[in-house]
Amino acid sequence: MIFVLFMKSITILGATGTIGANTLDVIKQHQHDFAVIALTAHRRVERLEALCLEWSPRYAVMADYEAAEQLAQRLKKRQPSVQVLSGPEGLTKVASLPEVDLVMAGIVGSAGLLPTLAAAQAGKRVLLANKEALVMSGALFMEAVHQHGAELLPIDSEHNALFQCLPYQRLKEQTLEELGISRLLLTASGGPFRTYSISQLHDVTPNQACAHPNWQMGRKISVDSATMMNKGLEIIEACWLFGAQPAQVDVVLHPQSIIHSMVEYIDGSVLAQLGNPDMRTPIAYALAWPKRQTSGVPRLNLIDIARLDFDAVDFERFPCLQFAYDAMSAGGTTTTILNAANEIAVQAFLEEHLRFTQIHKVIETTLSLMSGRAATSVDIILEDDARARELASEIIEGVIVNGQ
Ligand code: NAD
Ligand code: MG
């Protein structure tokens, strides 16, 4: 009990996912420092039930209503102290509970927007893995963070690396230029198809796309890594997190994923963060920040690694990168549209309704049919998100009907 005063309380959104599992793994190593208040999932009842039995949170949320009922039934007998909530309102509630200090935003895709935004509006320390939320709502999200005194700590390994190499606190008052920073260099592994030709890309399967050489991740982000849209979303994420212009963010291929990103200063210094590719490092850092704590990640052995390679990215084979630069430059809801079209196209690819090489075409066509507008409210963002999804779905149906 003596520890309770010093414990930080946490809600984990997306507890059954890869980020959720890594977060719980780190917390397990520091059980006296963290109290798990709420765990959420989409519809994997058995998985969330197992986590509730292990962690005894105060709340468990299933986004799916039917799944929530099933979970409540099961827990009634086995762990009656857990209150089961459901739907987007349940997610939003546990993201903004007064007794919660930290919120891990680990939901994948646009479903994470409202709860992540709610956490920012409640002034929490938000550990942001759910990059899609920021890509969708950019300015509005950052405004909520500033207005409500929230702390936004990046979990994405690249942004966590930049966060570690930047005088982040000073970025609240000063621009990158004032801090003598000339460029943010995002590293990219290049994914499983880094060396594939366009004709080889034509026939790749979802399982091939999800077999990332360096990282174990959920299926959606794995496909994003294979198309390099993940790096595109990360360019946009970096612009919002660090107040950068698209031209200040560059991408360099680095197949070993040991350097997680770099900050270039005007005096020629380049600061990099290195580490084994394991999400427990950025998660442990964000959980303990501004302190450090162990993460369970093995020590980096540079002698074993022996070499680090770098290459330029190929915009022709991976056009999603350019879409991201263009969408960020266009501003407003253009990035919302980009994200929505990508989510629909990736889903269709995972369900084998679309070829890998058609993903970028669906996104490009959606962007050509719909223009963005000022993203001044959540309603506008959600409207454009919904419209872009409809359009992308119609485009995919056309592709299927015409057998292209
Ligand atoms: P995942 O697919 O393994 O897990 C996703 C989680 O979100 C699950 O808990 C699932 O239940 C929940 N979820 C899915 N749809 C939902 C819905 N409609 N409503 C509510 N909850 C829903 O994904 P992941 O790999 O853990 O990625 C999560 C987020 O973190 C993504 O935005 C991803 O881009 C980002 N991220 C992941 C990694 C990684 O290494 N896995 C690295 C950097 C960033
Ligand atoms: Mg990343």
Side-chain angles (χ1 to χ4, degrees):
M1 273 325 261
I2 203 162
F3 297 112
V4 167
L5 275 179
F6 305 104
M7 283 177 117
K8 288 184 208 148
S9 309
I10 184 163
T11 282
I12 303 177
L13 302 170
T16 53
T18 315
I19 290 292
N22 280 307
T23 306
L24 288 168
D25 186 292
V26 175
I27 290 177
K28 202 180 273 182
Q29 300 168 51
H30 301 279
Q31 296 221 23
H32 295 313
D33 298 327
F34 300 97
V36 175
I37 302 293
L39 297 173
T40 85
H42 186 201
R43 51 183 162 215
R44 288 172 71 190
V45 177
E46 280 173 27
R47 186 76 195 109
L48 194 58
E49 182 192 16
L51 291 179
C52 287
L53 295 179
E54 185 180 352
W55 291 93
S56 310
R58 244 171 260 169
Y59 300 93
V61 188
M62 304 248 43
D64 183 87
Y65 295 101
E66 219 170 281
E69 267 178 39
Q70 286 173 23
L71 182 68
Q73 283 302 326
R74 284 161 178 259
L75 288 175
K76 212 190 301 178
K77 292 183 212 116
R78 304 186 70 188
Q79 190 68 279
S81 62
V82 180
Q83 197 178 327
V84 178
L85 306 175
S86 57
E89 53 287 359
L91 295 173
T92 302
K93 174 170 172 168
V94 297
S96 47
L97 289 168
E99 65 265 41
V100 161
D101 306 306
L102 314 180
V103 175
M104 168 57 77
I107 291 176
V108 60
S110 61
L113 173 64
L114 294 181
T116 308
L117 193 58
Q121 285 163 341
K124 304 299 183 196
R125 177 180 290 187
V126 182
L127 313 187
L128 185 77
N130 180 205
K131 63 193 91 184
E132 296 92 343
L134 187 56
V135 168
M136 284 176 82
S137 66
L140 205 84
F141 190 90
M142 295 310 291
E143 217 175 272
V145 168
H146 296 134
Q147 199 179 331
H148 299 281
E151 255 163 10
L152 186 58
L153 303 191
I155 293 297
D156 220 342
S157 57
E158 295 77 1
H159 306 74
N160 192 276
L162 295 173
F163 177 74
Q164 295 193 42
C165 299
L166 281 164
Y168 188 64
Q169 288 301 70
R170 286 166 59 198
L171 258 183
K172 288 179 184 158
E173 280 99 44
Q174 287 172 285
T175 62
L176 291 175
E177 288 87 350
E178 284 165 346
L179 292 167
I181 292 160
S182 47
R183 247 188 338 161
L184 305 178
L185 272 164
L186 294 176
T187 50
S189 69
F193 307 138
R194 179 174 54 90
T195 57
Y196 279 41
S197 65
I198 291 184
S199 63
Q200 282 175 303
L201 287 175
H202 196 61
D203 292 320
V204 297
T205 65
N207 282 343
Q208 282 176 292
C210 290
H212 196 281
N214 306 338
W215 298 96
Q216 290 280 323
M217 306 183 287
R219 285 173 81 76
K220 192 266 178 181
I221 183 176
S222 296
V223 177
D224 284 347
S225 299
T227 60
M228 291 200 73
M229 179 55 100
N230 182 49
K231 210 51 55 185
L233 300 177
E234 289 181 359
I235 291 166
I236 299 169
E237 186 184 6
C239 288
W240 288 117
L241 284 172
F242 307 117
Q245 296 302 315
Q248 289 173 303
V249 184
D250 270 349
V251 179
V252 59
L253 275 184
H254 166 45
Q256 291 92 353
S257 298
I258 295 296
I259 295 183
H260 297 301
S261 277
M262 298 172 256
V263 178
E264 182 191 82
Y265 288 82
I266 49 173
D267 58 6
S269 294
V270 177
L271 302 194
Q273 186 257 352
L274 283 73
N276 284 314
D278 188 320
M279 288 308 290
R280 290 176 299 172
T281 295
I283 290 171
Y285 183 56
L287 282 171
W289 184 82
K291 294 188 188 163
R292 296 271 178 178
Q293 65 183 1
T294 54
S295 63
V297 176
R299 184 177 273 189
L300 185 67
N301 187 329
L302 285 170
I303 311 297
D304 282 353
I305 292 161
R307 57 182 280 179
L308 299 175
D309 293 306
F310 304 97
D311 205 346
V313 288
D314 181 345
F315 285 84
E316 206 179 316
R317 280 182 306 133
F318 299 103
C320 292
L321 278 172
Q322 192 60 50
F323 300 163
Y325 276 116
D326 294 346
M328 187 65 204
S329 302
T333 59
T334 313
T335 56
T336 318
I337 297 165
L338 171 92
N339 178 67
N342 180 55
E343 284 192 24
I344 293 292
V346 169
Q347 187 62 29
F349 169 68
L350 284 171
E351 289 167 2
E352 301 191 38
H353 299 317
L354 200 67
R355 283 180 184 279
F356 183 81
T357 42
Q358 287 168 328
I359 296 175
H360 72 86
K361 291 186 181 154
V362 171
I363 300 165
E364 190 173 26
T365 312
T366 309
L367 283 164
S368 72
L369 294 175
M370 192 176 160
S371 344
R373 51 181 164 154
T376 46
S377 72
V378 176
D379 286 346
I380 287 181
I381 290 166
L382 294 179
E383 254 176 44
D384 283 11
D385 173 72
R387 178 78 193 113
R389 280 165 196 277
E390 265 171 44
L391 264 177
S393 302
E394 284 166 20
I395 294 161
I396 291 168
E397 269 164 43
V399 169
I400 296 168
V401 170
N402 299 327
Q404 288 163 346

